[in-house]
Amino acid sequence: VCIHHVRSCSSIRSIRFIKSKYVCVFDKSALKFSHQQRLFRTSAVSCGQIVQFKLSDIGEGITEVTVKEWYIKEGDSVSQFDSICEVQSDKASVTITSRYDGIIRKLHYSIDDIAFVGKPLVDIEIDASKGVAPEEDVVETPPMSHDEHTHQEIKGHKTLATPAVRRLAMENNIKLSEVVGTGKDNRILKEDILNYLAKQTGAILPPSPKAEIVPPLRKTEAVPAAPKDKARKIPVPVSRPIAFSGKDKTEPVTGFQKAMVKTMSAALKIPHFGYCDEIDLTQLVQLREELKPLAEIRGVKLSFMPFFIKAASLGLLQYPILNASLDENCQNVTYKASHNIGVAMDTEQGLIVPNVKNVQVCSVFDIAVELNRLQSLGSAGQLGTSDLTGGTFTLSNIGTIGGTYAKPVILPPEVAIGALGKIQVLPRFNGKGEVYKAQIMNVSWSADHRIIDGATMARFSNLWKSYLENPASMLLDLK
């Protein structure tokens, strides 16, 4: 009777229960029953099912990434949308999140190993009774879609947010499904996360930096004054232990260095035209000193770069050919509607060029806010794909390190780039022939000479220079 019951039962749970209850009545003759193979095979199923969590297509033609950090270890329990690991491609750093609830059974890679798209990252044991998609479907949600935004399915609710917003929510233990998005298509913005957090903590936060109006400081209020004569900076060697092994060392080209190889190889095909000039920033230096304390009150560090970027955008409105791209066959020129101005940054991972999107509709303060965000993420190696792609024009501030002139290399498919030197105090003559102390910065431009002539580059530079030498003149064209 027991054998017959086992044969007729289709539930795995029932088979396991009957086997444990009646195993004492089985003998060798019973095990020779014609359906014994079916009995052994079903009773061997465990309560958990192992699925391989594969690295899905990140996009941008990426086929391999470097594992930079694991957020879990073998034996840890994970839930949906928990962070699994951080990987770095030659374009950006991406955080991989889990799609299932379960227990981590195996890590397929160590730190700094190369992981390939379509290959398993981890093995996860899930509850078989809940059911699971086929193995080929068990992959993580792509961190960035082609429209530069991330869609997440949380309890049946589609949430639209950028990686920076998702990271901010994760750091504050906020579920995106509980936040009301105020952006386009109900997209969750950074301000939405801050407002939600403020309601939870009782803090009062402005809805947006644009809506915040801060009155000017009174003379009686103490404001730390910048020293008039700054001490000359002396280069200090990096305090790293130097080991001489006496042997050559060969390392593979990976990460952002690999991206630089591709980009600069393509740039060699472009005939570069160079143009240099000097800018008198005396008035801009004074203006920044007045505005910097106000920006600090609003939690933003105000450098010279937002002014340089905005002035460049105003110039691009007059000379759109500098904000264009040329196709590979040199048959068509595409004039870009958005001014996505890139800023070259020197990081521990190498040279990266994130860009500020839609500068043509941003204020100087908006640009400063975005630069602060990009610099923080760049220092931590956490810039997303959307931050590093889509640039239309680039400025490289070599003056933060040193040097006055440079020969910048164009970043394809862009057609122009500028390198900014350090600001120096030098003697100059005013209109009356009198010598005065001037704040001088040198700029070096490179342009694609196939579609940009020298006169156009010079006129753009002169316009950009006029905005910076007379910053009040920008008020007439600001929108």
Side-chain angles (χ1 to χ4, degrees):
V1 175
C2 297
I3 293 293
H4 178 73
H5 195 171
V6 171
R7 288 175 52 201
S8 62
C9 183
S10 61
S11 172
I12 296 176
R13 186 176 298 176
S14 299
I15 291 173
R16 294 174 63 247
F17 170 77
I18 294 171
K19 179 176 181 290
S20 62
K21 184 175 182 180
Y22 294 100
V23 67
C24 59
V25 302
F26 291 160
D27 56 16
K28 293 182 179 180
S29 60
L31 295 177
K32 294 180 180 179
F33 195 80
S34 60
H35 290 79
Q36 62 176 318
Q37 293 181 350
R38 180 181 177 186
L39 174 63
F40 291 148
R41 188 159 53 246
T42 54
S43 62
V45 176
S46 63
C47 60
Q49 180 178 353
I50 302 295
V51 294
Q52 290 188 326
F53 192 94
K54 297 178 181 178
L55 177 65
S56 66
D57 185 9
I58 298 178
E60 299 290 335
I62 296 172
T63 59
E64 61 182 42
V65 295
T66 303
V67 178
K68 302 304 294 183
E69 183 178 0
W70 285 106
Y71 299 120
I72 45 87
K73 60 181 181 298
E74 294 181 1
D76 285 354
S77 297
V78 295
S79 302
Q80 294 185 45
F81 307 108
D82 283 353
S83 296
I84 295 291
C85 64
E86 181 177 342
V87 298
Q88 185 182 78
S89 68
D90 56 357
K91 298 180 182 294
S93 294
V94 177
T95 299
I96 305 299
T97 57
S98 176
R99 182 179 174 182
Y100 294 96
D101 302 332
I103 301 175
I104 303 297
R105 292 305 182 193
K106 181 181 179 181
L107 306 181
H108 286 268
Y109 300 99
S110 301
I111 300 296
D112 293 331
D113 282 354
I114 303 297
F116 297 92
V117 171
K119 299 297 182 181
L121 277 175
V122 297
D123 290 350
I124 303 179
E125 180 181 342
I126 63 173
D127 190 349
S129 63
K130 296 182 180 179
V132 65
E135 181 178 338
E136 60 269 20
D137 293 334
V138 182
V139 293
E140 78 282 1
T141 304
M144 180 59 59
S145 61
H146 293 292
D147 62 354
E148 299 180 354
H149 293 91
T150 300
H151 293 78
Q152 292 185 6
E153 295 287 346
I154 303 179
K155 297 181 179 179
H157 176 70
K158 180 175 290 187
T159 304
L160 186 62
T162 61
V165 172
R166 289 191 296 114
R167 177 172 291 275
L168 180 62
M170 181 181 63
E171 291 174 351
N172 292 278
N173 297 321
I174 297 176
K175 294 182 179 180
L176 292 180
S177 59
E178 299 177 355
V179 181
V180 178
T182 60
K184 183 179 180 181
D185 299 327
N186 297 323
R187 182 181 304 126
I188 296 178
L189 307 177
K190 178 181 179 182
E191 290 78 12
D192 299 329
I193 299 293
L194 295 178
N195 289 334
Y196 179 87
L197 186 63
K199 293 178 181 179
Q200 300 298 318
T201 59
I204 300 177
L205 295 176
S208 172
K210 296 180 182 179
E212 183 179 5
I213 301 177
V214 180
L217 294 176
R218 298 178 181 177
K219 294 182 179 180
T220 56
E221 297 181 8
V223 177
K228 295 183 179 180
D229 296 326
K230 297 183 179 179
R232 184 178 180 182
K233 295 182 179 179
I234 301 177
V236 179
V238 179
S239 57
R240 295 178 182 174
I242 302 176
F244 296 97
S245 61
K247 298 181 180 179
D248 296 341
K249 182 174 66 173
T250 302
E251 295 180 348
V253 178
T254 59
F256 294 135
Q257 191 177 23
K258 190 172 185 179
M260 188 186 300
V261 171
K262 294 180 181 179
T263 304
M264 294 300 100
S265 297
L268 284 176
K269 302 177 182 179
I270 300 175
H272 283 55
F273 166 78
Y275 180 83
C276 301
D277 200 356
E278 72 171 31
I279 319 295
D280 187 347
L281 299 181
T282 304
Q283 293 187 34
L284 182 60
V285 170
Q286 296 174 356
L287 177 62
R288 174 178 172 264
E289 288 300 322
E290 295 176 3
L291 297 179
K292 189 165 66 170
L294 300 179
E296 290 177 353
I297 292 176
R298 300 165 72 171
V300 175
K301 180 181 179 181
L302 181 63
S303 64
F304 289 104
M305 186 57 72
F307 297 96
F308 299 153
I309 292 175
K310 188 60 184 181
S313 177
L314 295 175
L316 293 176
L317 291 173
Q318 302 296 323
Y319 300 95
I321 188 63
L322 297 175
N323 196 60
S325 64
L326 183 66
D327 64 1
E328 294 182 359
N329 298 324
C330 300
Q331 299 297 319
N332 299 289
V333 178
T334 302
Y335 294 85
K336 303 294 185 178
S338 299
H339 295 172
N340 299 337
I341 299 182
V343 180
M345 294 183 180
D346 178 40
T347 67
E348 293 182 357
Q349 292 80 27
L351 176 66
I352 56 176
V353 189
N355 57 83
V356 181
K357 298 288 193 298
N358 297 312
V359 177
Q360 76 279 3
V361 294
C362 293
S363 66
V364 173
F365 183 78
D366 293 336
I367 299 171
V369 171
E370 181 65 4
L371 279 178
N372 281 207
R373 184 186 72 85
L374 294 175
Q375 288 168 348
S376 298
L377 293 178
S379 300
Q382 297 174 349
L383 285 168
T385 306
S386 62
D387 296 324
L388 295 168
T389 56
T392 60
F393 186 87
T394 299
L395 291 176
S396 177
N397 190 6
I398 62 169
T400 57
I401 301 175
T404 53
Y405 291 99
K407 187 179 180 181
V409 181
I410 299 171
L411 301 177
E414 299 174 18
V415 295
I417 184 175
L420 313 176
K422 63 182 179 181
I423 300 177
Q424 306 177 86
V425 179
L426 298 173
R428 290 294 183 268
F429 292 95
N430 59 19
K432 299 180 181 180
E434 301 169 343
V435 177
Y436 71 99
K437 184 192 299 184
Q439 303 278 352
I440 301 298
M441 181 189 74
N442 300 108
V443 61
S444 304
W445 302 104
S446 289
D448 188 339
H449 212 356
R450 294 174 297 183
I451 59 173
I452 299 174
D453 54 63
T456 300
M457 187 74 254
R459 292 188 181 101
F460 167 82
S461 180
N462 290 337
L463 179 58
W464 181 77
K465 174 181 178 178
S466 68
Y467 283 132
L468 297 179
E469 291 188 341
N470 303 281
S473 64
M474 286 195 289
L475 294 175
L476 297 176
D477 298 317
L478 289 178
K479 297 181 180 179

